[in-house]
Amino acid sequence: MLVRDAMSTVILTVGPAHTLRQAAALMSARRVGAAVVLDPDAGGVGILTERDILNSVGLGQNPDTERTHAHTTTDVVFAAPTWTLEQAARAMTHGGFRHLVVLDRGEVAGIVSVRDIIRCWAPAREPAAAL
């Protein structure tokens, strides 16, 4: 199975001037764990994850004044839609992250998460076995 089969093509994007609270509210409303940050002044595409927001709040920073640009990962590892899910999982494991932005011909085409991969690999839900 390929990344294009597992990725979400509905992508939450935010700008570098959004506050962390705004980004968190959008992520919560869409039930996603990451947002693509489009910042042409800083090189283009970055990613902001729930962990980035959690780390900021844990440091005592104010989510109403902290801007996404200060917490965005800009050295992003990108996947291609033609990668296998094994390649994506290997990249995530090696890099220690749970989301990959998918680029197709230089454009953001989707995002794939560990959860997306697990859904593809796991068999259909069966009743829980008795313990």
mmCIF file of all heavy atoms in Angstrom, residues 74-110:
data_model
loop_
_atom_site.group_PDB
_atom_site.id
_atom_site.type_symbol
_atom_site.label_atom_id
_atom_site.label_comp_id
_atom_site.label_asym_id
_atom_site.label_seq_id
_atom_site.Cartn_x
_atom_site.Cartn_y
_atom_site.Cartn_z
ATOM 1 N N THR A 74 10.647 23.580 10.594
ATOM 2 C CA THR A 74 10.863 23.980 9.201
ATOM 3 C C THR A 74 11.771 23.014 8.445
ATOM 4 O O THR A 74 11.795 23.040 7.225
ATOM 5 C CB THR A 74 11.454 25.397 9.122
ATOM 6 O OG1 THR A 74 12.638 25.453 9.912
ATOM 7 C CG2 THR A 74 10.448 26.430 9.632
ATOM 8 N N ASP A 75 12.509 22.174 9.165
ATOM 9 C CA ASP A 75 13.339 21.169 8.484
ATOM 10 C C ASP A 75 12.512 19.891 8.339
ATOM 11 O O ASP A 75 12.808 18.855 8.910
ATOM 12 C CB ASP A 75 14.657 20.931 9.209
ATOM 13 C CG ASP A 75 14.480 20.467 10.650
ATOM 14 O OD1 ASP A 75 13.401 20.693 11.223
ATOM 15 O OD2 ASP A 75 15.418 19.866 11.192
ATOM 16 N N VAL A 76 11.452 20.022 7.576
ATOM 17 C CA VAL A 76 10.454 18.978 7.423
ATOM 18 C C VAL A 76 10.970 17.859 6.525
ATOM 19 O O VAL A 76 11.609 18.104 5.513
ATOM 20 C CB VAL A 76 9.151 19.575 6.821
ATOM 21 C CG1 VAL A 76 8.095 18.524 6.612
ATOM 22 C CG2 VAL A 76 8.634 20.699 7.701
ATOM 23 N N VAL A 77 10.654 16.632 6.913
ATOM 24 C CA VAL A 77 10.870 15.474 6.054
ATOM 25 C C VAL A 77 9.580 15.281 5.273
ATOM 26 O O VAL A 77 8.512 15.142 5.865
ATOM 27 C CB VAL A 77 11.198 14.215 6.879
ATOM 28 C CG1 VAL A 77 11.298 12.992 5.978
ATOM 29 C CG2 VAL A 77 12.481 14.420 7.676
ATOM 30 N N PHE A 78 9.693 15.332 3.965
ATOM 31 C CA PHE A 78 8.514 15.187 3.113
ATOM 32 C C PHE A 78 8.446 13.778 2.550
ATOM 33 O O PHE A 78 9.469 13.166 2.255
ATOM 34 C CB PHE A 78 8.575 16.176 1.939
ATOM 35 C CG PHE A 78 8.548 17.614 2.366
ATOM 36 C CD1 PHE A 78 9.708 18.365 2.380
ATOM 37 C CD2 PHE A 78 7.366 18.201 2.764
ATOM 38 C CE1 PHE A 78 9.687 19.694 2.777
ATOM 39 C CE2 PHE A 78 7.328 19.530 3.168
ATOM 40 C CZ PHE A 78 8.497 20.277 3.168
ATOM 41 N N ALA A 79 7.227 13.303 2.391
ATOM 42 C CA ALA A 79 6.993 12.012 1.745
ATOM 43 C C ALA A 79 6.454 12.269 0.352
ATOM 44 O O ALA A 79 5.895 13.332 0.068
ATOM 45 C CB ALA A 79 5.970 11.203 2.547
ATOM 46 N N ALA A 80 6.608 11.294 -0.498
ATOM 47 C CA ALA A 80 6.005 11.318 -1.829
ATOM 48 C C ALA A 80 4.787 10.409 -1.789
ATOM 49 O O ALA A 80 4.766 9.425 -1.050
ATOM 50 C CB ALA A 80 7.000 10.828 -2.879
ATOM 51 N N PRO A 81 3.764 10.722 -2.578
ATOM 52 C CA PRO A 81 2.581 9.864 -2.577
ATOM 53 C C PRO A 81 2.880 8.442 -3.033
ATOM 54 O O PRO A 81 2.125 7.520 -2.724
ATOM 55 C CB PRO A 81 1.609 10.559 -3.528
ATOM 56 C CG PRO A 81 2.351 11.650 -4.178
ATOM 57 C CD PRO A 81 3.632 11.860 -3.463
ATOM 58 N N THR A 82 3.990 8.256 -3.723
ATOM 59 C CA THR A 82 4.361 6.937 -4.230
ATOM 60 C C THR A 82 5.222 6.137 -3.261
ATOM 61 O O THR A 82 5.570 4.997 -3.552
ATOM 62 C CB THR A 82 5.104 7.072 -5.566
ATOM 63 O OG1 THR A 82 6.237 7.939 -5.373
ATOM 64 C CG2 THR A 82 4.188 7.626 -6.646
ATOM 65 N N TRP A 83 5.554 6.716 -2.105
ATOM 66 C CA TRP A 83 6.269 5.948 -1.094
ATOM 67 C C TRP A 83 5.369 4.825 -0.601
ATOM 68 O O TRP A 83 4.146 4.968 -0.540
ATOM 69 C CB TRP A 83 6.591 6.809 0.121
ATOM 70 C CG TRP A 83 7.786 7.689 0.026
ATOM 71 C CD1 TRP A 83 8.450 8.072 -1.096
ATOM 72 C CD2 TRP A 83 8.423 8.331 1.128
ATOM 73 N NE1 TRP A 83 9.465 8.914 -0.759
ATOM 74 C CE2 TRP A 83 9.477 9.091 0.598
ATOM 75 C CE3 TRP A 83 8.196 8.345 2.495
ATOM 76 C CZ2 TRP A 83 10.320 9.854 1.399
ATOM 77 C CZ3 TRP A 83 9.029 9.103 3.293
ATOM 78 C CH2 TRP A 83 10.089 9.845 2.750
ATOM 79 N N THR A 84 5.991 3.736 -0.203
ATOM 80 C CA THR A 84 5.223 2.685 0.469
ATOM 81 C C THR A 84 4.970 3.135 1.912
ATOM 82 O O THR A 84 5.673 4.006 2.440
ATOM 83 C CB THR A 84 5.989 1.351 0.492
ATOM 84 O OG1 THR A 84 7.172 1.516 1.292
ATOM 85 C CG2 THR A 84 6.338 0.877 -0.914
ATOM 86 N N LEU A 85 3.985 2.514 2.536
ATOM 87 C CA LEU A 85 3.732 2.835 3.940
ATOM 88 C C LEU A 85 4.915 2.426 4.811
ATOM 89 O O LEU A 85 5.194 3.062 5.824
ATOM 90 C CB LEU A 85 2.446 2.171 4.428
ATOM 91 C CG LEU A 85 1.163 2.689 3.775
ATOM 92 C CD1 LEU A 85 -0.059 2.023 4.412
ATOM 93 C CD2 LEU A 85 1.057 4.193 3.851
ATOM 94 N N GLU A 86 5.642 1.403 4.381
ATOM 95 C CA GLU A 86 6.839 0.991 5.113
ATOM 96 C C GLU A 86 7.891 2.097 5.070
ATOM 97 O O GLU A 86 8.547 2.375 6.076
ATOM 98 C CB GLU A 86 7.412 -0.313 4.540
ATOM 99 C CG GLU A 86 6.574 -1.538 4.839
ATOM 100 C CD GLU A 86 5.372 -1.719 3.894
ATOM 101 O OE1 GLU A 86 5.224 -0.954 2.904
ATOM 102 O OE2 GLU A 86 4.556 -2.614 4.168
ATOM 103 N N GLN A 87 8.067 2.731 3.917
ATOM 104 C CA GLN A 87 9.023 3.837 3.812
ATOM 105 C C GLN A 87 8.606 4.995 4.721
ATOM 106 O O GLN A 87 9.449 5.594 5.395
ATOM 107 C CB GLN A 87 9.122 4.336 2.372
ATOM 108 C CG GLN A 87 9.879 3.411 1.439
ATOM 109 C CD GLN A 87 9.794 3.894 0.001
ATOM 110 O OE1 GLN A 87 8.712 3.928 -0.586
ATOM 111 N NE2 GLN A 87 10.936 4.278 -0.554
ATOM 112 N N ALA A 88 7.325 5.317 4.735
ATOM 113 C CA ALA A 88 6.826 6.404 5.581
ATOM 114 C C ALA A 88 7.036 6.065 7.055
ATOM 115 O O ALA A 88 7.505 6.907 7.825
ATOM 116 C CB ALA A 88 5.355 6.666 5.290
ATOM 117 N N ALA A 89 6.701 4.842 7.444
ATOM 118 C CA ALA A 89 6.871 4.426 8.839
ATOM 119 C C ALA A 89 8.343 4.470 9.234
ATOM 120 O O ALA A 89 8.683 4.896 10.346
ATOM 121 C CB ALA A 89 6.293 3.027 9.044
ATOM 122 N N ARG A 90 9.216 4.057 8.340
ATOM 123 C CA ARG A 90 10.659 4.088 8.612
ATOM 124 C C ARG A 90 11.131 5.530 8.802
ATOM 125 O O ARG A 90 11.907 5.826 9.712
ATOM 126 C CB ARG A 90 11.406 3.401 7.473
ATOM 127 C CG ARG A 90 12.648 2.707 7.890
ATOM 128 C CD ARG A 90 13.333 1.832 6.843
ATOM 129 N NE ARG A 90 12.857 1.881 5.470
ATOM 130 C CZ ARG A 90 12.069 0.971 4.898
ATOM 131 N NH1 ARG A 90 11.644 -0.068 5.591
ATOM 132 N NH2 ARG A 90 11.704 1.087 3.640
ATOM 133 N N ALA A 91 10.671 6.443 7.956
ATOM 134 C CA ALA A 91 11.061 7.851 8.072
ATOM 135 C C ALA A 91 10.573 8.431 9.400
ATOM 136 O O ALA A 91 11.303 9.168 10.071
ATOM 137 C CB ALA A 91 10.503 8.654 6.901
ATOM 138 N N MET A 92 9.353 8.092 9.789
ATOM 139 C CA MET A 92 8.806 8.581 11.056
ATOM 140 C C MET A 92 9.598 8.028 12.229
ATOM 141 O O MET A 92 9.933 8.763 13.172
ATOM 142 C CB MET A 92 7.337 8.199 11.185
ATOM 143 C CG MET A 92 6.418 8.941 10.256
ATOM 144 S SD MET A 92 4.728 8.304 10.491
ATOM 145 C CE MET A 92 3.862 9.177 9.199
ATOM 146 N N THR A 93 9.887 6.752 12.201
ATOM 147 C CA THR A 93 10.642 6.122 13.287
ATOM 148 C C THR A 93 12.032 6.722 13.387
ATOM 149 O O THR A 93 12.497 7.065 14.472
ATOM 150 C CB THR A 93 10.739 4.600 13.064
ATOM 151 O OG1 THR A 93 9.412 4.066 13.006
ATOM 152 C CG2 THR A 93 11.506 3.926 14.171
ATOM 153 N N HIS A 94 12.686 6.869 12.251
ATOM 154 C CA HIS A 94 14.047 7.427 12.226
ATOM 155 C C HIS A 94 14.062 8.874 12.727
ATOM 156 O O HIS A 94 14.961 9.273 13.465
ATOM 157 C CB HIS A 94 14.616 7.348 10.803
ATOM 158 C CG HIS A 94 15.989 7.917 10.685
ATOM 159 N ND1 HIS A 94 17.101 7.286 11.193
ATOM 160 C CD2 HIS A 94 16.425 9.081 10.138
ATOM 161 C CE1 HIS A 94 18.166 8.029 10.960
ATOM 162 N NE2 HIS A 94 17.778 9.116 10.324
ATOM 163 N N GLY A 95 13.065 9.655 12.335
ATOM 164 C CA GLY A 95 13.035 11.066 12.706
ATOM 165 C C GLY A 95 12.381 11.355 14.045
ATOM 166 O O GLY A 95 12.491 12.459 14.570
ATOM 167 N N GLY A 96 11.671 10.375 14.602
ATOM 168 C CA GLY A 96 11.017 10.572 15.889
ATOM 169 C C GLY A 96 9.792 11.469 15.813
ATOM 170 O O GLY A 96 9.513 12.225 16.735
ATOM 171 N N PHE A 97 9.057 11.403 14.715
ATOM 172 C CA PHE A 97 7.839 12.199 14.583
ATOM 173 C C PHE A 97 6.698 11.333 14.092
ATOM 174 O O PHE A 97 6.902 10.196 13.700
ATOM 175 C CB PHE A 97 8.045 13.410 13.659
ATOM 176 C CG PHE A 97 8.849 13.112 12.421
ATOM 177 C CD1 PHE A 97 8.271 12.502 11.326
ATOM 178 C CD2 PHE A 97 10.193 13.446 12.356
ATOM 179 C CE1 PHE A 97 9.007 12.225 10.187
ATOM 180 C CE2 PHE A 97 10.936 13.173 11.213
ATOM 181 C CZ PHE A 97 10.330 12.565 10.131
ATOM 182 N N ARG A 98 5.461 11.894 14.146
ATOM 183 C CA ARG A 98 4.264 11.115 13.850
ATOM 184 C C ARG A 98 3.490 11.583 12.628
ATOM 185 O O ARG A 98 2.438 11.032 12.320
ATOM 186 C CB ARG A 98 3.330 11.123 15.063
ATOM 187 C CG ARG A 98 3.968 10.468 16.282
ATOM 188 C CD ARG A 98 3.077 10.570 17.483
ATOM 189 N NE ARG A 98 2.977 11.976 17.885
ATOM 190 C CZ ARG A 98 2.107 12.444 18.743
ATOM 191 N NH1 ARG A 98 1.228 11.649 19.294
ATOM 192 N NH2 ARG A 98 2.087 13.703 19.057
ATOM 193 N N HIS A 99 3.991 12.603 11.942
ATOM 194 C CA HIS A 99 3.305 13.132 10.758
ATOM 195 C C HIS A 99 4.305 13.415 9.658
ATOM 196 O O HIS A 99 5.419 13.866 9.935
ATOM 197 C CB HIS A 99 2.582 14.446 11.083
ATOM 198 C CG HIS A 99 1.537 14.310 12.131
ATOM 199 N ND1 HIS A 99 1.821 14.391 13.481
ATOM 200 C CD2 HIS A 99 0.207 14.095 12.045
ATOM 201 C CE1 HIS A 99 0.709 14.233 14.160
ATOM 202 N NE2 HIS A 99 -0.283 14.047 13.325
ATOM 203 N N LEU A 100 3.890 13.171 8.433
ATOM 204 C CA LEU A 100 4.690 13.530 7.257
ATOM 205 C C LEU A 100 3.834 14.356 6.311
ATOM 206 O O LEU A 100 2.699 13.970 6.004
ATOM 207 C CB LEU A 100 5.147 12.272 6.495
ATOM 208 C CG LEU A 100 6.270 11.443 7.080
ATOM 209 C CD1 LEU A 100 6.385 10.124 6.320
ATOM 210 C CD2 LEU A 100 7.578 12.207 7.017
ATOM 211 N N VAL A 101 4.377 15.471 5.874
ATOM 212 C CA VAL A 101 3.726 16.252 4.829
ATOM 213 C C VAL A 101 4.048 15.562 3.510
ATOM 214 O O VAL A 101 5.192 15.175 3.255
ATOM 215 C CB VAL A 101 4.239 17.704 4.823
ATOM 216 C CG1 VAL A 101 3.627 18.496 3.673
ATOM 217 C CG2 VAL A 101 3.936 18.375 6.166
ATOM 218 N N VAL A 102 3.037 15.403 2.683
ATOM 219 C CA VAL A 102 3.206 14.715 1.399
ATOM 220 C C VAL A 102 3.258 15.763 0.294
ATOM 221 O O VAL A 102 2.358 16.598 0.164
ATOM 222 C CB VAL A 102 2.046 13.730 1.137
ATOM 223 C CG1 VAL A 102 2.265 12.988 -0.178
ATOM 224 C CG2 VAL A 102 1.912 12.743 2.303
ATOM 225 N N LEU A 103 4.351 15.731 -0.471
ATOM 226 C CA LEU A 103 4.516 16.631 -1.607
ATOM 227 C C LEU A 103 4.381 15.855 -2.905
ATOM 228 O O LEU A 103 4.930 14.770 -3.042
ATOM 229 C CB LEU A 103 5.892 17.299 -1.591
ATOM 230 C CG LEU A 103 6.190 18.342 -0.532
ATOM 231 C CD1 LEU A 103 7.566 18.959 -0.788
ATOM 232 C CD2 LEU A 103 5.132 19.440 -0.487
ATOM 233 N N ASP A 104 3.670 16.445 -3.837
ATOM 234 C CA ASP A 104 3.534 15.884 -5.175
ATOM 235 C C ASP A 104 3.866 16.995 -6.165
ATOM 236 O O ASP A 104 3.170 18.017 -6.201
ATOM 237 C CB ASP A 104 2.111 15.367 -5.391
ATOM 238 C CG ASP A 104 1.968 14.563 -6.672
ATOM 239 O OD1 ASP A 104 2.991 14.213 -7.288
ATOM 240 O OD2 ASP A 104 0.819 14.277 -7.041
ATOM 241 N N ARG A 105 4.947 16.821 -6.892
ATOM 242 C CA ARG A 105 5.430 17.824 -7.849
ATOM 243 C C ARG A 105 5.658 19.180 -7.187
ATOM 244 O O ARG A 105 5.323 20.231 -7.731
ATOM 245 C CB ARG A 105 4.482 17.947 -9.029
ATOM 246 C CG ARG A 105 4.373 16.676 -9.852
ATOM 247 C CD ARG A 105 3.416 16.845 -11.031
ATOM 248 N NE ARG A 105 3.097 15.551 -11.587
ATOM 249 C CZ ARG A 105 1.953 14.891 -11.333
ATOM 250 N NH1 ARG A 105 1.041 15.417 -10.563
ATOM 251 N NH2 ARG A 105 1.740 13.719 -11.873
ATOM 252 N N GLY A 106 6.181 19.151 -5.970
ATOM 253 C CA GLY A 106 6.511 20.371 -5.252
ATOM 254 C C GLY A 106 5.362 21.039 -4.531
ATOM 255 O O GLY A 106 5.552 22.057 -3.877
ATOM 256 N N GLU A 107 4.168 20.491 -4.621
ATOM 257 C CA GLU A 107 2.991 21.058 -3.969
ATOM 258 C C GLU A 107 2.524 20.143 -2.834
ATOM 259 O O GLU A 107 2.609 18.930 -2.940
ATOM 260 C CB GLU A 107 1.846 21.220 -4.974
ATOM 261 C CG GLU A 107 2.150 22.172 -6.111
ATOM 262 C CD GLU A 107 2.287 23.616 -5.654
ATOM 263 O OE1 GLU A 107 1.541 24.022 -4.732
ATOM 264 O OE2 GLU A 107 3.147 24.325 -6.201
ATOM 265 N N VAL A 108 2.002 20.743 -1.763
ATOM 266 C CA VAL A 108 1.460 19.959 -0.663
ATOM 267 C C VAL A 108 0.228 19.219 -1.165
ATOM 268 O O VAL A 108 -0.723 19.830 -1.640
ATOM 269 C CB VAL A 108 1.111 20.845 0.542
ATOM 270 C CG1 VAL A 108 0.452 20.024 1.646
ATOM 271 C CG2 VAL A 108 2.350 21.559 1.073
ATOM 272 N N ALA A 109 0.279 17.892 -1.071
ATOM 273 C CA ALA A 109 -0.814 17.050 -1.565
ATOM 274 C C ALA A 109 -1.587 16.391 -0.435
ATOM 275 O O ALA A 109 -2.713 15.934 -0.631
ATOM 276 C CB ALA A 109 -0.260 15.970 -2.489
ATOM 277 N N GLY A 110 -0.986 16.327 0.747
ATOM 278 C CA GLY A 110 -1.651 15.662 1.853
ATOM 279 C C GLY A 110 -0.754 15.596 3.063
ATOM 280 O O GLY A 110 0.350 16.141 3.085
#
